[in-house]
Amino acid sequence: LSKVVLQPIQSLIYTMEDIQTSRTFKRITTKSSSKDELDQMANTFNNMMDLLEENYKKQEQFVSDASHELKTPLSSIKLMADSIIQTHDIDMEYVREFLLDMNNEVDRLNRIVNKLLYITKMDTDSEKLEAGMDITSVSEILLGIEKNLLPIANRDEIALNVNCDDNLYVMANKDMLWQGIYNVVDNAIKYSNEFGTVSVNANMYDGNIIITVKDNGVGISEEDKEKIFERFYRVDKARSRETGGTGLGLAIALSAIEFHGGTIAVDSEP
């Protein structure tokens, strides 16, 4: 009986020691079909390993993607700087063009770094973000976003229309919710067709506040729908660079909305 009782415990100890030495994720192999406390302990340990391994892989992928995104503008800046240095008697007009391009790449780097810092804050400072929760006017947020994005929409000859009931309030971290909704509306403007329209509407339905953002852009495929909220994912990489996109805006939006207990759904046709 003692041997039967100690066997799962010894297996757990051996597995933990193996994890320490091999630096890999291991599971306990359970031979017993019983549902006693020891079996539950082994299953709990295995579930914990599953969660840790999943989070580790996500972190590893995130670091890899971030490195790639940072490397691209840095490589471009390096190439242009080398061209200026290695070209004798270079025309100052060409130098000016190179410097403008380099300045654009630096701006892009700043956008990526700022959004990475924002994502890190969302991932690690949840308690601080929760402490900033207060009764917030949805109308105030949407009108503020409209004021910020209207110059960009006007520049691209896109009509931006915002409609919201003044009596809609939600318990929220105002800055975080503002950023989440802003990113969705900003994305709609970036991918709308010229002379298009972006409509933002908010209303109460079945006890929930529903905010819809509608545009008449090119649309996205069913496959891309499942991926657009992943970090660094872009449907059209070339157009993202032209519009200054980092591939992080919708990922931030999803995190912000889910933080407040909400959901985001996409309805689109290519």
Side-chain angles (χ1 to χ4, degrees):
L1 179 62
S2 176
K3 184 177 180 181
V4 172
V5 171
L6 290 175
Q7 193 172 19
I9 298 175
Q10 289 174 339
S11 178
L12 176 60
I13 294 170
Y14 292 150
T15 303
M16 293 176 72
E17 288 176 345
D18 193 13
I19 290 171
Q20 285 181 312
T21 55
S22 66
R23 301 291 180 181
T24 57
F25 296 95
K26 304 283 185 178
R27 274 74 171 174
I28 298 174
T29 303
T30 55
K31 296 180 180 179
S32 172
S33 60
S34 65
K35 299 297 179 181
D36 57 18
E37 287 83 354
L38 292 173
D39 189 63
Q40 290 176 12
M41 179 183 67
N43 289 330
T44 301
F45 178 84
N46 289 341
N47 290 337
M48 181 182 68
M49 285 295 102
D50 289 341
L51 182 61
L52 288 173
E53 185 172 18
E54 181 184 354
N55 287 334
Y56 177 80
K57 287 179 178 178
K58 285 182 180 179
Q59 184 183 47
E60 196 174 45
Q61 185 63 48
F62 178 68
V63 171
S64 174
D65 291 341
S67 300
H68 175 75
E69 292 297 323
L70 293 171
K71 184 179 178 181
T72 302
L74 285 173
S75 298
S76 180
I77 292 169
K78 173 65 175 170
L79 181 63
M80 288 184 280
D82 285 343
S83 297
I84 294 173
I85 293 169
Q86 295 169 10
T87 304
H88 300 292
D89 301 323
I90 188 170
D91 190 309
M92 288 306 298
E93 189 59 34
Y94 285 115
V95 173
R96 178 175 172 78
E97 287 182 17
F98 276 129
L99 290 176
L100 286 172
D101 289 338
M102 291 166 72
N103 187 61
N104 289 335
E105 291 299 319
V106 171
D107 287 342
R108 186 176 162 211
L109 273 172
N110 280 329
R111 287 194 296 270
I112 293 172
V113 170
N114 287 336
K115 288 190 176 181
L116 285 172
L117 290 173
Y118 191 84
I119 284 177
T120 302
K121 180 181 178 182
M122 292 171 70
D123 287 345
T124 59
D125 292 345
S126 58
E127 290 184 6
K128 192 177 292 185
L129 292 169
E130 287 175 1
M133 300 279 277
D134 202 356
I135 297 174
T136 303
S137 167
V138 175
S139 175
E140 185 179 329
I141 288 178
L142 294 184
L143 292 176
I145 291 171
E146 180 186 32
K147 184 178 180 180
N148 274 266
L149 288 176
L150 198 55
I152 298 173
N154 290 338
R155 180 199 66 194
D156 297 337
E157 298 187 84
I158 293 169
L160 176 59
N161 302 318
V162 174
N163 296 292
C164 180
D165 189 334
D166 291 336
N167 297 318
L168 295 181
Y169 292 88
V170 63
M171 183 64 71
N173 180 302
K174 184 177 179 180
D175 291 339
M176 190 177 184
L177 185 59
W178 190 95
Q179 188 65 59
I181 300 171
Y182 176 96
N183 287 356
V184 176
V185 180
D186 180 49
N187 189 79
I189 293 172
K190 283 178 179 175
Y191 290 93
S192 282
N193 294 322
E194 192 177 9
F195 306 114
T197 301
V198 173
S199 302
V200 183
N201 296 283
N203 53 65
M204 181 73 75
Y205 177 77
D206 198 22
N208 295 309
I209 295 175
I210 309 297
I211 301 173
T212 58
V213 179
K214 185 178 180 180
D215 65 70
N216 57 351
V218 295
I220 58 175
S221 67
E222 197 67 33
E223 179 184 357
D224 286 325
K225 277 188 202 178
E226 305 299 321
K227 300 177 181 178
I228 59 172
F229 294 104
E230 294 177 7
R231 295 172 181 181
F232 296 112
Y233 186 79
R234 298 186 183 96
V235 175
D236 186 341
K237 293 184 179 180
R239 186 166 182 181
S240 290
R241 290 193 182 95
E242 290 174 6
T243 58
T246 62
L248 292 169
L250 292 182
I252 290 174
L254 178 62
S255 295
I257 299 304
E258 287 184 341
F259 176 85
H260 291 90
T263 59
I264 296 183
V266 181
D267 183 16
S268 177
E269 294 181 1

